[in-house]
């Protein structure tokens, strides 16, 4: 399991939510860099999201603890599409 610290420093981990512009589906994940991960999803290299490209990042929340980010990811994956549609980032 990934650690929340490396060499004594803290690593920020984000729970993120992306939305498919193709069909409106959502994908929830965790990453140290949500914007970089979005680019990976849009590149088509990830099998689980390849068919639904392109995506936009609609929500993320930062954590200093990997386990807390993972817990949030699991919780968010269980939420309805309607709930997720209300989580857009402020403009």
């Amino acid at each position: 399991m990934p650690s929340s610290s490396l060499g004594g420093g803290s690593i920020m981990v984000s729970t993120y939510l992306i939305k498919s512009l193709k069909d409106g589906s959502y994908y929830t994940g965790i990453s140290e860099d949500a914007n970089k991960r979005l680019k990976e999803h849009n590149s088509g290299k990830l099998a689980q999201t390849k068919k639904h490209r392109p995506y936009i990042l609609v929500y993320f929340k930062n954590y200093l603890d990997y386990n807390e980010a993972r817990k949030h990811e699991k919780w968010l994956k269980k939420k309805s599409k309607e709930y997720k549609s209300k989580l857009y980032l402020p403009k």
Side-chain angles (χ1 to χ4, degrees):
M1 179 175 296
S3 173
S4 62
S5 63
L6 185 63
S10 294
I11 296 176
M12 188 73 66
V13 181
S14 300
T15 300
Y16 66 89
L17 179 67
I18 57 176
K19 181 179 181 181
S20 168
L21 294 177
K22 180 178 180 181
D23 62 14
S25 62
Y26 289 95
Y27 180 86
T28 307
I30 57 174
S31 176
E32 290 179 17
D33 185 338
N35 287 307
K36 180 180 176 185
R37 191 67 172 152
L38 173 65
K39 289 177 185 176
E40 292 171 351
H41 284 291
N42 281 327
S43 74
K45 295 178 183 175
L46 304 171
Q48 65 269 40
T49 55
K50 185 176 184 175
K51 294 180 183 179
H52 304 279
R53 296 178 295 154
Y55 287 92
I56 57 170
L57 180 65
V58 294
Y59 173 82
F60 70 93
K61 184 172 181 181
N62 294 325
Y63 291 91
L64 291 175
D65 181 76
Y66 174 88
N67 292 324
E68 288 300 313
R70 182 78 171 122
K71 194 184 319 181
H72 185 207
E73 176 197 26
K74 287 181 177 183
W75 177 84
L76 188 53
K77 283 184 178 195
K78 294 177 184 177
K79 293 297 179 188
S80 69
K81 189 174 185 176
E82 180 182 354
Y83 179 89
K84 292 173 184 177
S85 72
K86 297 175 184 176
L87 292 178
Y88 283 87
L89 295 169
K91 295 186 181 212

